[in-house]
Amino acid sequence: MLQAALPVFGLVAWQVLHATTGREELSSPAAAFLSLVQSLGNPRFVDSVVFSLKGLGLAFLLSTVAGTVMGVSLGLAPAWARALSPVLFSLYGIPKITLYPIFLLFFGIDLTSRVAFAAFHGVFPMLLIVMRGTLGIQPVYLKVARAYRLSWWQRFWKIVVPAIVPSLVVALRISFSLTFIGLVVAELFSSYAGLGHELMRSMSFFDTGQIFALIFLIMVIAVVPTGVFRMWERRLKNPALEAVESVGR
Amino acid sequence: MTPRSWTLVLVAVFLGSVEAVARLGWVSRFNLVPASEMIRAAGELLLDAEFLREQLAPTLSTAVLAFVVASIAGFAIGCLIWRFTWLEIALDPYLTIYYAVPTFALYPLLITVFGLGMVSIAAIGILFAIVAVIVNTVAGLRTVRPVLLKVARSFRLNTRQTFLRVYLPAAFPTIFTGIQLALVYAIIGVLASEFILSTRGLGHTIAQAYNGFKVLEMYGGIVLVFAITLGIDFALGRLAGAIMKGAHAERAGRGGMLNA
């Protein structure tokens, strides 16, 4: 029950601010809700949402695949991992948005540059967490792989991935958030469609109701998959559930 | 060779390939310039008094402002959450998912309310940085070892003394981690907001250079962003190392006194 306090308090405070200051740009909860409902009936708005979701799906797929493959490769080659780690950690910590113009120069202003940038923005946690997970695999597993003369792909699918599933799920969650943040920021800077573009458009029209509607949608898109990944993490951490699952197999 | 020297070799190879690809004309000069020219462009920006005054100074001062506000407010809120269980129950789910939501989506809203300028940019920096401090403050205070509290009780410390002399020093390393993150997040928040839409600042310089096809200046600005963030990162790492070492030395010193 207490968890509902923050949203309720926020809505009440918003309504009070709207009523007392009378400032047009604050909109009101009711107006924002109406705007959301109206927007969802507007084909151009829906197209923009679909446009962003498509970019998000592509970018997340790209950063997941690239991050896992690179992370496992580095994890299986500790010398390279040691040499590259400082560079990767530094890249993870810098404001990557300032690199977006480089993507624009090389890929143009269509979907490609935004997907490439969002994937780049999200790939680092994937890569680093998978790399650490792979480095931490018990050496005896890899010895077994050598004894069976498994190929690289066999080693990847049969030994490494099952061994690192728990860290893989954490990596998926963080990577998803950063990919989405990268996409939204890229759309805010330059785009002809998408949620970020709609935000900037509504801002230039001082259409605050629409801005609130968009922020709400962005929060939903960010939070729902995060919640799913967290549930998956909890299941993995709960040995009782794991035991039940293994019996089921 | 040590791993560190291999790292330097890899970085040198990367910069060398950028230099070669650009010099050999494999990539148009409108897309890429040689690495040496990027670094020279960054140097020229640093020597340009007008750039320092009109662009770099606003960026750094806004980032510092956001960092200070986020650290103080974040610490205070963290203490309140730790102190009042109902507040923790009410806020915990939102704190855990906070960084999953793109804070920058609020920037257009802030601009409509506060206008285009320092307030909106600093607000994004604060919003981006504050939760790192809150979360680390709560975590640090909550994981103080019970034996320390027992000592405080046996010395009959009052609440204020217990907080200042036991809780705070014991939680400090964790809180400091949060403060370290806050500085990095404040800089990212400010640079990104300036980049998206603003009238001045380093982020604005890069965006303007891109929009005006001034590729050299754009790369110079990006090199500056790298240099500033890596420099701060390095300094913070050193500071954290010194503080942790100090804490250990102090603990060891006290241990020695007890033995004597």
Side-chain angles (χ1 to χ4, degrees):
Chain A
M1 269 318 281
L2 264 176
Q3 278 94 340
L6 186 68
V8 169
F9 174 77
L11 285 175
V12 170
W14 183 5
Q15 183 66 56
V16 168
L17 269 177
H18 167 74
T20 51
T21 60
R23 286 179 68 178
E24 194 70 21
E25 66 269 26
L26 279 174
S27 189
S28 74
F33 180 73
L34 255 174
S35 174
L36 178 64
V37 173
Q38 273 168 2
S39 302
L40 288 176
N42 175 353
R44 203 182 56 84
F45 185 89
V46 175
D47 278 352
S48 251
V49 177
V50 172
F51 185 84
S52 283
L53 287 177
K54 203 160 65 179
L56 177 62
L58 279 172
F60 185 46
L61 186 70
L62 201 63
S63 71
T64 304
V65 173
T68 311
V69 170
M70 287 192 285
V72 170
S73 307
L74 284 177
L76 293 176
W80 282 97
R82 268 197 300 276
L84 274 173
S85 287
V87 180
L88 295 171
F89 273 103
S90 322
L91 277 175
Y92 186 30
I94 64 152
K96 283 179 281 298
I97 182 59
T98 51
L99 298 176
Y100 182 49
I102 303 179
F103 285 78
L104 284 168
L105 287 177
F106 278 89
F107 297 106
I109 61 158
D110 59 358
L111 192 67
T112 327
S113 62
R114 272 190 300 289
V115 168
F117 175 74
F120 169 76
H121 201 259
V123 80
F124 289 95
M126 196 75 209
L127 203 171
L128 291 168
I129 295 173
V130 168
M131 182 182 85
R132 281 207 173 157
T134 311
L135 284 170
I137 293 177
Q138 289 194 14
V140 66
Y141 292 179
L142 299 173
K143 257 189 198 161
V144 171
R146 255 203 306 284
Y148 278 97
R149 295 169 187 274
L150 296 188
S151 69
W152 198 92
W153 274 112
Q154 283 172 319
R155 238 186 335 164
F156 177 75
W157 281 117
K158 306 268 174 190
I159 310 277
V160 176
V161 170
I164 61 168
V165 162
S167 39
L168 205 58
V169 181
V170 176
L172 280 173
R173 171 168 59 80
I174 302 175
S175 212
F176 174 81
S177 312
L178 286 179
T179 306
F180 187 43
I181 292 175
L183 185 78
V184 168
V185 176
E187 284 181 348
L188 284 171
F189 179 69
S190 100
S191 184
Y192 44 85
L195 292 162
H197 169 75
E198 291 295 325
L199 265 174
M200 290 312 256
R201 223 178 75 93
S202 320
M203 184 194 77
S204 57
F205 294 142
F206 287 97
D207 187 350
T208 327
Q210 174 100 318
I211 293 182
F212 278 112
L214 283 159
I215 291 174
F216 179 74
L217 270 183
I218 288 174
M219 277 164 64
V220 170
I221 295 172
V223 166
V224 171
T226 304
V228 172
F229 286 130
R230 276 203 182 275
M231 266 160 62
W232 193 2
E233 277 167 43
R234 267 199 296 276
R235 262 168 74 106
L236 286 173
K237 268 193 208 130
N238 190 332
L241 276 174
E242 253 177 290
V244 171
E245 269 184 304
S246 63
V247 170
R249 269 183 224 132
Chain B
M1 272 169 82
T2 60
R4 177 166 294 211
S5 45
W6 277 115
T7 308
L8 292 176
V9 169
L10 286 173
V11 172
V13 168
F14 175 74
L15 291 177
S17 354
V18 171
E19 182 84 19
V21 165
R23 284 226 182 274
L24 292 171
W26 292 352
V27 176
S28 149
R29 276 193 75 90
F30 288 111
N31 289 350
L32 194 69
V33 297
S36 56
E37 288 182 28
M38 291 181 193
I39 294 166
R40 191 166 331 124
E44 272 165 23
L45 281 177
L46 278 181
L47 291 176
D48 180 354
E50 201 194 324
F51 167 80
L52 293 181
R53 198 177 53 240
E54 300 297 325
Q55 317 293 341
L56 194 58
T59 300
L60 295 180
S61 53
T62 312
V64 168
L65 173 75
F67 162 69
V68 171
V69 173
S71 297
I72 295 172
F75 175 72
I77 296 171
C79 290
L80 288 177
I81 291 176
W82 165 71
R83 176 73 183 71
F84 299 106
T85 317
W86 60 269
L87 208 54
E88 188 191 333
I89 296 170
L91 294 180
D92 191 58
Y94 304 100
L95 292 175
T96 48
I97 57 161
Y98 185 81
Y99 281 112
V101 180
T103 318
F104 301 104
L106 294 176
Y107 190 48
L109 177 68
L110 290 167
I111 292 177
T112 51
V113 176
F114 297 112
L116 189 59
M118 192 175 176
V119 179
S120 306
I121 296 172
I124 288 287
I126 294 166
L127 285 170
F128 203 46
I130 194 170
V131 172
V133 185
I134 297 178
V135 169
N136 277 284
T137 304
V138 176
L141 289 172
R142 199 184 294 146
T143 49
V144 171
R145 287 183 304 154
V147 64
L148 297 178
L149 305 179
K150 262 189 194 161
V151 174
R153 257 203 306 283
S154 42
F155 276 100
R156 295 174 187 272
L157 298 189
N158 63 31
T159 315
R160 204 178 66 105
Q161 285 169 323
T162 311
F163 185 75
L164 288 178
R165 306 212 170 162
V166 179
Y167 275 108
L168 219 46
F172 184 72
T174 316
I175 297 174
F176 185 76
T177 308
I179 288 176
Q180 232 176 316
L181 280 175
L183 182 54
V184 177
Y185 285 2
I187 293 172
I188 293 180
V190 167
L191 276 170
S193 313
E194 285 176 350
F195 179 79
I196 293 166
L197 190 68
S198 72
T199 51
R200 59 179 190 175
L202 180 54
H204 173 73
T205 305
I206 296 171
Q208 272 307 100
Y210 163 75
N211 286 323
F213 301 104
K214 287 185 258 174
V215 181
L216 195 57
E217 194 184 327
M218 182 194 97
Y219 278 111
I222 293 172
V223 168
L224 264 191
V225 169
F226 265 72
I228 292 170
T229 41
L230 291 182
I232 288 171
D233 208 38
F234 179 76
L236 278 176
R238 275 292 175 86
L239 187 61
I243 286 172
M244 298 305 158
K245 220 165 144 194
H248 279 300
E250 202 177 325
R251 212 168 286 159
R254 280 192 192 146
M257 264 166 63
L258 277 179
N259 286 337

Short mmCIF file of all heavy atoms in Angstrom, two decimals, chain A residues 89-90 93, chain B residues 180 184 228-238:
data_model
loop_
_atom_site.label_atom_id
_atom_site.label_comp_id
_atom_site.label_asym_id
_atom_site.label_seq_id
_atom_site.Cartn_x
_atom_site.Cartn_y
_atom_site.Cartn_z
N PHE A 89 36.37 -0.28 -19.75
CA PHE A 89 35.78 0.37 -18.58
C PHE A 89 35.77 1.89 -18.75
O PHE A 89 34.81 2.56 -18.35
CB PHE A 89 36.52 -0.03 -17.30
CG PHE A 89 36.00 -1.29 -16.69
CD1 PHE A 89 36.68 -2.49 -16.83
CD2 PHE A 89 34.79 -1.29 -16.01
CE1 PHE A 89 36.18 -3.67 -16.28
CE2 PHE A 89 34.28 -2.46 -15.46
CZ PHE A 89 34.98 -3.65 -15.60
N SER A 90 36.82 2.44 -19.36
CA SER A 90 36.83 3.89 -19.57
C SER A 90 35.73 4.29 -20.55
O SER A 90 35.03 5.29 -20.35
CB SER A 90 38.16 4.39 -20.13
OG SER A 90 39.21 3.70 -19.58
N GLY A 93 32.41 4.58 -19.00
CA GLY A 93 32.18 5.70 -18.10
C GLY A 93 32.08 7.07 -18.75
O GLY A 93 31.72 8.04 -18.10
N GLN B 180 31.26 9.47 -5.85
CA GLN B 180 32.09 9.33 -7.04
C GLN B 180 31.21 9.16 -8.29
O GLN B 180 31.40 9.85 -9.29
CB GLN B 180 32.91 8.05 -6.87
CG GLN B 180 34.39 8.21 -7.06
CD GLN B 180 35.08 6.89 -6.76
OE1 GLN B 180 34.76 6.22 -5.78
NE2 GLN B 180 36.00 6.52 -7.60
N VAL B 184 30.46 11.69 -11.93
CA VAL B 184 30.44 11.23 -13.32
C VAL B 184 29.06 11.43 -13.95
O VAL B 184 28.94 11.93 -15.06
CB VAL B 184 30.85 9.73 -13.39
CG1 VAL B 184 30.77 9.22 -14.81
CG2 VAL B 184 32.26 9.54 -12.85
N ILE B 228 38.63 15.13 -20.34
CA ILE B 228 38.10 15.62 -19.06
C ILE B 228 37.55 14.46 -18.23
O ILE B 228 37.88 14.32 -17.05
CB ILE B 228 37.00 16.68 -19.30
CG1 ILE B 228 37.63 17.94 -19.90
CG2 ILE B 228 36.27 17.01 -18.02
CD1 ILE B 228 36.62 18.94 -20.40
N THR B 229 36.73 13.60 -18.85
CA THR B 229 36.12 12.53 -18.05
C THR B 229 37.17 11.52 -17.60
O THR B 229 37.12 11.05 -16.47
CB THR B 229 34.98 11.82 -18.80
OG1 THR B 229 35.37 11.62 -20.16
CG2 THR B 229 33.72 12.61 -18.77
N LEU B 230 38.11 11.18 -18.49
CA LEU B 230 39.15 10.22 -18.07
C LEU B 230 40.02 10.81 -16.98
O LEU B 230 40.41 10.12 -16.04
CB LEU B 230 40.00 9.79 -19.28
CG LEU B 230 39.28 8.93 -20.31
CD1 LEU B 230 40.24 8.52 -21.43
CD2 LEU B 230 38.68 7.69 -19.66
N GLY B 231 40.32 12.13 -17.08
CA GLY B 231 41.12 12.78 -16.05
C GLY B 231 40.43 12.75 -14.71
O GLY B 231 41.04 12.40 -13.69
N ILE B 232 39.13 13.07 -14.69
CA ILE B 232 38.38 13.07 -13.43
C ILE B 232 38.29 11.65 -12.87
O ILE B 232 38.47 11.43 -11.66
CB ILE B 232 36.97 13.67 -13.66
CG1 ILE B 232 37.11 15.17 -13.87
CG2 ILE B 232 36.06 13.37 -12.50
CD1 ILE B 232 35.84 15.84 -14.30
N ASP B 233 38.05 10.70 -13.77
CA ASP B 233 37.97 9.29 -13.37
C ASP B 233 39.26 8.86 -12.68
O ASP B 233 39.25 8.24 -11.61
CB ASP B 233 37.77 8.47 -14.64
CG ASP B 233 37.03 7.19 -14.36
OD1 ASP B 233 36.11 7.23 -13.52
OD2 ASP B 233 37.38 6.16 -14.97
N PHE B 234 40.39 9.22 -13.30
CA PHE B 234 41.71 8.85 -12.77
C PHE B 234 41.92 9.49 -11.40
O PHE B 234 42.32 8.83 -10.43
CB PHE B 234 42.79 9.30 -13.75
CG PHE B 234 44.19 8.99 -13.31
CD1 PHE B 234 44.68 7.70 -13.40
CD2 PHE B 234 45.00 9.99 -12.80
CE1 PHE B 234 45.96 7.41 -12.98
CE2 PHE B 234 46.29 9.70 -12.39
CZ PHE B 234 46.77 8.41 -12.47
N ALA B 235 41.60 10.81 -11.31
CA ALA B 235 41.81 11.52 -10.05
C ALA B 235 40.94 10.91 -8.94
O ALA B 235 41.41 10.71 -7.81
CB ALA B 235 41.47 13.00 -10.23
N LEU B 236 39.68 10.60 -9.28
CA LEU B 236 38.78 10.02 -8.28
C LEU B 236 39.29 8.66 -7.82
O LEU B 236 39.22 8.33 -6.63
CB LEU B 236 37.38 9.87 -8.86
CG LEU B 236 36.50 11.10 -8.84
CD1 LEU B 236 35.18 10.80 -9.52
CD2 LEU B 236 36.24 11.54 -7.40
N GLY B 237 39.81 7.87 -8.77
CA GLY B 237 40.35 6.56 -8.42
C GLY B 237 41.49 6.71 -7.42
O GLY B 237 41.56 5.99 -6.42
N ARG B 238 42.38 7.68 -7.70
CA ARG B 238 43.51 7.94 -6.80
C ARG B 238 43.01 8.34 -5.41
O ARG B 238 43.46 7.84 -4.40
CB ARG B 238 44.37 9.07 -7.38
CG ARG B 238 45.39 8.59 -8.38
CD ARG B 238 46.44 7.75 -7.66
NE ARG B 238 47.39 7.14 -8.55
CZ ARG B 238 48.49 7.74 -8.98
NH1 ARG B 238 48.76 8.98 -8.62
NH2 ARG B 238 49.31 7.12 -9.78
#
